[in-house]
Amino acid sequence: MLIRMTESSVKKLSNGDRCYRASNGVKPGKNGCVKNHYLYQKQHCYPEEKIYHVAHNGGLYKRPFNEVFEETPMLVAVLTYMGYGILTLFGYLRDFLRDWKIEKCQNATEREEQKDFVPLYQDFENFYTRNLYMRIRDSWNRPICSVPGAKFDVMDRVSYDYNWTFKYTGKVVKDVINMGSYNYLGFAENHGLCADAAADVTMKYGVGVSSTRREMGNLAKHEELEKLVARFLGVEAAMAFGMGFATNSMNIPALVGKGCLILSDELNHASLVLGARLSGATIRVFKHNNMQSLEKLLRDAIVHGQPRTHRPWKKILILVEGIYSMEGSIIRLPEVIALKKKYKAFLYLDEAHSIGALGPSGKGVVEYFGLDPKDVDIMMGTFTKSFGAAGGYIGGKKELIDYLFTHSHSAVYATSMSPPVVEQIITSMKCIMGEDGTTFGRDRIQQLAENTRYFRRKLQEMGFIIYGNIDSPVVPLMLYMPAKIGAFGREMLKRNIGVVVVGFPATPIIESRARFCLSAAHTKEMLDTALRMISEVGDLLQLKYSRHLLVPLLDRPFETTYEENEE
């Protein structure tokens, strides 16, 4: 994390160097200087202490790497645990009343004549669903009845049995500002160039192909799309798939298997986790974005080899994401590539949230850091977010794509992508690349970057705790307490703002949050309206916890061995 500096916080040392104190309330350590909490004008602060520059590690970074993960206030953490404890006690009380038929049991259970069979439902496993999730179930699965653009329409519904079932009132909440969809570049729309092109292709090719790529479903449009994706990414070849989730879960097993090692970030998406498990490879998890943890696993893998036999691993595959959708953090890709090269491993990069949303040309996290696409062995991404369509892709060397074309279950058995979806991707991608003869795509990329920084800065100024990188369009706002999860979503919808709230088990138990997703389609007026409503609800629910105690995501506990600058 790059710590904010002020000239008033300059400390002169006896050797003439100057040490800049972080102006964020971080406690200084021994002799007033702490690793990662200061930046140094010269090479060192104290000769006997090795200082690491977190933002520009070893000259690998060509731009500041600014991420903020503020520490949870102790009182808030205690109250959050107490809240879950009280909910758990009342949950057991309600289960007791249900067992004695005092309270009506709404959850699915076996009949009496089925008691001697293998149980279909585990009571304890469903405890959270019955007694905690149901209290705030109305915050999720809200049906919409319009295009999920910058604004959308939400169908009104009510529940008369405490969220076990819902009934629609027939009313529609109009013009709700959409702060939850992954419509990063605003291409999810029912008018304009993309919509017209998709409509024309529908009339020519129809909606479905009704076959796989290997049989009768390989259209010229599919070939055009894959060549365009390869050119956009700067790789030799690319292959498109009909489902983003299956792109990970079905292709990772084709790349690695028994005798291989997968090193996976602890916060990787469920599709990556499923793909790794289906592969049959050995899986080891490293701490989120922690290069020391990753290097230790790599070093141990090289030194010790496979368990019992100690033979070398057939392959070592590193699985990471570009932007982590729950944390809003960006992968430390320059350091990952440095480690990958040093230990001769392979790198699988999931750019589901970063492709189109990062980089001057929207080419993702690789362009964002100014890196060479050839340094990433497998480049994966989806068309479901920045391109307003569906499906996913994998890009890399031609040998890789030829191999997947014959060995990937998703390629061999899955139905081909729908022609209008393909055309939506082609048109939006050409717009981003400027091949439509306009600067419309480049303007949207720039607008998204401006909206992201503006929105994040305003929320921090209001006193909210915000996670993630300053350039990440995914903005988690911390709620913490379980009662505030549902309350925040309901109060925001009352003010015509549609938001996504997330709690346990999707997040750690004391880190419930609201997750905003910025879009190029958001105007400044929309963002100002949303910010005003967020501030109002924040005051109502007392959510402005920030004390500006910014702590780095990575507090280096021990030394790495790859090239590193001590400045």
Side-chain angles (χ1 to χ4, degrees):
M1 187 188 75
L2 181 63
I3 305 297
R4 295 196 301 269
M5 296 294 135
T6 61
E7 284 300 322
S8 60
S9 58
V10 176
K11 178 180 178 181
K12 286 193 176 182
L13 306 178
S14 58
N15 60 359
D17 292 353
R18 293 196 298 172
C19 170
Y20 289 76
R21 179 185 298 274
S23 62
N24 56 8
V26 177
K27 275 188 175 181
K30 184 177 72 173
N31 300 324
C33 291
V34 180
K35 294 181 182 179
N36 300 333
H37 296 167
Y38 296 84
L39 299 183
Y40 295 82
Q41 190 182 52
K42 290 193 179 181
Q43 194 169 15
H44 57 277
C45 181
Y46 292 99
E48 72 275 11
E49 187 174 31
K50 194 170 186 179
I51 304 302
Y52 298 102
H53 192 316
V54 178
H56 300 279
N57 185 13
L60 297 175
Y61 292 87
K62 299 178 182 179
R63 57 184 300 152
F65 188 79
N66 190 337
E67 290 193 349
V68 174
F69 292 86
E70 185 170 339
E71 189 177 13
T72 304
M74 180 61 70
L75 178 61
V76 175
V78 171
L79 292 175
T80 302
Y81 280 121
M82 287 178 61
Y84 277 107
I86 293 171
L87 286 173
T88 302
L89 288 175
F90 273 92
Y92 279 117
L93 175 61
R94 297 187 70 180
D95 279 352
F96 175 79
L97 296 176
R98 290 171 186 141
D99 289 339
W100 287 87
K101 312 299 181 183
I102 299 174
E103 180 179 334
K104 185 178 179 181
C105 183
Q106 299 276 9
N107 58 295
T109 56
E110 290 91 351
R111 296 191 299 270
E112 285 297 326
E113 56 267 28
Q114 296 176 308
K115 292 296 183 183
D116 294 332
F117 291 90
V118 176
L120 296 176
Y121 306 99
Q122 297 292 331
D123 284 343
F124 183 77
E125 291 179 3
N126 293 329
F127 179 87
Y128 181 87
T129 302
R130 290 194 307 272
N131 298 299
L132 283 82
Y133 169 73
M134 281 299 168
R135 292 174 176 265
I136 53 177
R137 183 172 171 236
D138 58 304
S139 299
W140 293 284
N141 306 320
R142 290 186 179 128
I144 66 172
C145 51
S146 69
V147 175
K151 290 185 177 182
F152 55 20
D153 300 335
V154 180
M155 296 177 66
D156 187 40
R157 61 182 182 176
V158 294
S159 177
Y160 300 104
D161 54 4
Y162 304 101
N163 294 337
W164 285 94
T165 61
F166 293 98
K167 292 184 178 180
Y168 297 106
T169 64
K171 298 179 182 179
V172 175
V173 184
K174 295 281 188 179
D175 295 327
V176 178
I177 297 178
N178 182 3
M179 299 300 297
S181 295
Y182 303 131
N183 185 24
Y184 295 131
L185 294 181
F187 284 114
E189 51 195 5
N190 57 358
H191 63 277
L193 189 64
C194 293
D196 294 341
D200 292 341
V201 168
T202 303
M203 297 302 295
K204 181 178 180 180
Y205 291 96
V207 174
V209 181
S210 303
S211 182
T212 66
R213 293 284 298 275
R214 298 293 300 276
E215 296 171 324
M216 303 292 291
N218 191 27
L219 304 180
K221 282 291 177 184
H222 294 129
E223 302 281 349
E224 180 186 353
L225 170 61
E226 290 172 344
K227 291 178 181 177
L228 183 64
V229 170
R231 189 152 47 86
F232 179 64
L233 297 175
V235 296
E236 293 180 10
M239 186 173 182
F241 303 89
M243 182 182 179
F245 191 98
T247 305
N248 279 330
S249 59
M250 293 289 100
N251 283 294
I252 293 175
L255 296 171
V256 291
K258 189 175 181 180
C260 299
L261 174 65
I262 291 177
L263 302 180
S264 177
D265 189 292
E266 65 180 342
L267 296 184
N268 275 343
H269 190 261
S271 59
L272 290 169
V273 174
L274 178 60
R277 290 175 176 171
L278 291 175
S279 70
T282 301
I283 304 170
R284 291 174 184 166
V285 179
F286 62 91
K287 296 178 182 178
H288 174 55
N289 239 353
N290 189 315
M291 297 303 106
Q292 283 67 41
S293 177
L294 173 58
E295 186 177 26
K296 186 178 186 300
L297 291 179
L298 283 167
R299 189 189 300 117
D300 290 345
I302 299 298
V303 172
H304 300 295
Q306 299 184 42
R308 294 189 299 274
T309 65
H310 299 292
R311 293 177 181 174
W313 296 99
K314 295 178 181 178
K315 298 175 190 172
I316 299 177
L317 182 66
I318 303 172
L319 296 184
V320 294
E321 295 186 47
I323 293 178
Y324 290 84
S325 59
M326 284 297 173
E327 304 297 313
S329 60
I330 296 176
I331 183 63
R332 305 175 74 92
L333 191 59
E335 297 180 67
V336 175
I337 289 178
L339 288 173
K340 167 241 174 187
K341 288 181 177 179
K342 177 179 178 180
Y343 292 98
K344 304 297 186 291
F346 294 97
L347 176 59
Y348 187 111
L349 174 63
D350 180 343
E351 290 213 81
H353 289 270
S354 55
I355 193 68
L358 286 180
S361 304
K363 296 180 180 179
V365 69
V366 176
E367 185 189 41
Y368 175 79
F369 286 114
L371 303 172
D372 188 348
K374 295 178 182 177
D375 289 334
V376 180
D377 301 287
I378 303 104
M379 299 184 70
M380 177 270 170
T382 63
F383 303 121
T384 57
K385 299 168 179 67
S386 294
F387 304 96
Y393 66 83
I394 283 184
K397 292 184 178 180
K398 190 176 186 305
E399 294 84 353
L400 168 70
I401 303 306
D402 291 343
Y403 176 83
L404 289 177
F405 192 76
T406 57
H407 289 78
S408 169
H409 283 69
S410 189
V412 176
Y413 299 109
T415 302
S416 301
M417 293 180 70
S418 173
V421 172
V422 173
E423 187 62 24
Q424 165 77 20
I425 302 165
I426 291 174
T427 309
S428 59
M429 189 171 291
K430 285 184 176 179
C431 182
I432 294 171
M433 298 170 71
E435 295 186 3
D436 61 342
T438 70
T439 61
F440 190 54
R442 182 65 66 91
D443 293 341
R444 288 194 179 200
I445 295 168
Q446 180 63 31
Q447 187 62 53
L448 174 63
E450 292 176 2
N451 287 351
T452 296
R453 292 217 168 196
Y454 176 76
F455 192 77
R456 280 183 168 276
R457 186 179 73 252
K458 287 296 183 182
L459 287 179
Q460 287 181 321
E461 290 174 357
M462 290 175 186
F464 293 103
I465 293 181
I466 304 299
Y467 275 8
N469 193 287
I470 191 173
D471 292 319
S472 169
V474 179
V475 186
L477 183 152
M478 305 310 294
L479 303 175
Y480 296 113
M481 301 180 193
K484 295 183 180 182
I485 301 174
F488 186 83
R490 296 174 191 131
E491 291 296 328
M492 291 302 294
L493 188 59
K494 287 179 184 177
R495 293 159 175 80
N496 262 35
I497 311 293
V499 301
V500 173
V501 289
V502 191
F504 179 82
T507 67
I509 194 166
I510 66 164
E511 293 186 9
S512 302
R513 64 199 66 178
R515 186 184 60 183
F516 302 103
C517 294
L518 278 301
S519 171
H522 289 139
T523 63
K524 188 174 183 298
E525 290 72 23
M526 291 181 191
L527 294 181
D528 286 338
T529 300
L531 287 165
R532 187 171 64 254
M533 295 298 103
I534 293 169
S535 180
E536 183 179 313
V537 175
D539 291 331
L540 177 66
L541 301 180
Q542 298 182 5
L543 296 173
K544 298 179 179 179
Y545 303 116
S546 179
R547 297 174 297 172
H548 301 292
L549 294 177
L550 306 183
V551 296
L553 173 66
L554 178 62
D555 191 10
R556 301 173 179 271
F558 49 85
E559 182 180 350
T560 60
T561 58
Y562 62 94
E563 292 183 3
E564 188 168 35
N565 194 348
E566 295 184 16
E567 289 186 3

